[in-house]
Amino acid sequence: MFVNYTLNRIRRVKHRHINLHIPKSGGTSLCQLAKQYSKKNTKFTSGNSGCWEGSHFLPLWCNPAFVPGGDREDWLSEADASLCDVMDRTLPTFVMNENYLDHPLCTHQRMYSIVLRDPADRVMSHERHLLYLERENEDERLKLIRNNYIVWALSSGATTEHGKRLSVVPVREHLEIAKDTLLKFDFLLDLSTLAQNETCYKNMLDLMGLAPNEQTPPQHDMKGIGTGEEIAFSREEYRKLNLLDIELYEYAQRIITHDCEFYSVVKARMDFDK
């Protein structure tokens, strides 16, 4: 298992690291670490503005510059791995994709990560942030972020009825897709729990290729902007609106626990082999 993991990681770490950015979860802290590392390693890039690609409120496959011909239907086959390579030539080494994923995932060419947070706390912060910024299509985006946004982000584009639409409220089918997607990710982080396990956090950073020995866990207070904005519901009401996200979050916590144990074994073996 260790040999397979090591060979697979070495192959993909030379390609691109895609982080699915779930707003108000602490992903910006991961971006800051990537930017710090890029200053020390000129071959490692993280984009010009934040760590997002140019139109970061669109998924990559909505931007014709990243998809030959601009037609998603042209590359739905997992066998068409060459498209992943074509897209990666235009991307920084570390890039965040906000909103949702490209399905099918290019798991043989890329590393994938996600930073998670308690769903009720996350959606309350996300809504305050959105109200403060007064973005266009606010009502549609509010509906989206209030209703199991994390499940939506991980499953959208993987089902015919979901497509590219924003106004879709996830159901249990999407939860199962989201769970399966998480299992394909290389790294799941929850800064609230990793802050209590610094060894696990540094092992993850090392395996991500972000030089943890020179970095310390981010102190992210999750407050963000718009803290004074009045939101529509109580915390309990937001919990009821996000039961699928809560179930997914609990599932992710179990994965993180196992990952921490596995990474400690991998890291110890890698140190031993040096």
Side-chain angles (χ1 to χ4, degrees), residues 70-273:
D71 187 353
R72 176 172 167 72
E73 297 301 321
D74 289 343
W75 59 282
L76 284 175
S77 172
E78 289 187 359
D80 189 14
S82 62
L83 180 72
C84 296
D85 295 330
V86 170
M87 291 176 67
D88 284 352
R89 293 188 199 125
T90 68
L91 294 175
T93 311
F94 178 87
V95 63
M96 287 181 162
N97 185 23
E98 185 161 336
N99 273 351
Y100 43 111
L101 289 166
D102 310 305
H103 284 282
L105 304 184
C106 300
T107 52
H108 293 292
Q109 289 79 21
R110 300 175 182 166
M111 299 175 70
Y112 285 90
S113 67
I114 186 172
V115 183
L116 298 167
R117 181 186 179 187
D118 177 271
D121 293 336
R122 191 212 68 79
V123 71
M124 292 168 69
S125 181
H126 195 175
E127 182 164 332
R128 290 190 183 102
H129 187 103
L130 182 63
L131 292 172
Y132 176 83
L133 295 177
E134 298 181 340
R135 288 205 167 101
E136 296 180 3
N137 305 318
E138 182 177 284
D139 290 342
E140 186 175 24
R141 292 189 70 84
L142 280 173
K143 180 180 178 182
L144 170 67
I145 66 175
R146 286 172 178 168
N147 292 276
N148 300 296
Y149 178 92
I150 307 173
V151 167
W152 176 86
L154 287 161
S155 64
S156 185
T159 60
T160 303
E161 63 272 23
H162 237 149
K164 299 179 182 180
R165 292 162 49 213
L166 292 180
S167 56
V168 175
V169 177
V171 295
R172 183 153 292 275
E173 174 193 2
H174 301 115
L175 172 62
E176 297 308 314
I177 293 172
K179 286 181 177 180
D180 183 63
T181 303
L182 281 184
L183 289 175
K184 295 176 182 176
F185 272 43
D186 299 279
F187 301 102
L188 280 60
L189 297 89
D190 180 347
L191 298 188
S192 65
T193 57
L194 286 177
Q196 303 166 21
N197 190 343
E198 187 171 324
T199 299
C200 179
Y201 176 82
K202 289 193 172 184
N203 285 342
M204 281 193 183
L205 284 185
D206 189 16
L207 295 171
M208 284 183 186
L210 291 180
N213 292 332
E214 302 175 12
Q215 313 231 34
T216 57
Q219 302 299 315
H220 195 84
D221 61 14
M222 303 292 186
K223 291 181 180 179
I225 64 175
T227 54
E229 297 292 330
E230 185 175 345
I231 54 179
F233 307 112
S234 67
R235 189 177 190 280
E236 184 57 32
E237 288 172 314
Y238 280 112
R239 283 184 61 82
K240 291 178 180 178
L241 286 171
N242 290 274
L243 293 178
L244 295 180
D245 268 7
I246 290 171
E247 186 173 337
L248 180 69
Y249 181 71
E250 293 171 348
Y251 178 78
Q253 293 302 312
R254 296 195 292 273
I255 297 176
I256 291 173
T257 297
H258 289 297
D259 281 352
C260 285
E261 295 172 356
F262 176 65
Y263 292 146
S264 66
V265 173
V266 171
K267 185 63 169 59
R269 179 61 183 272
M270 291 175 69
D271 291 342
F272 178 79
D273 289 341

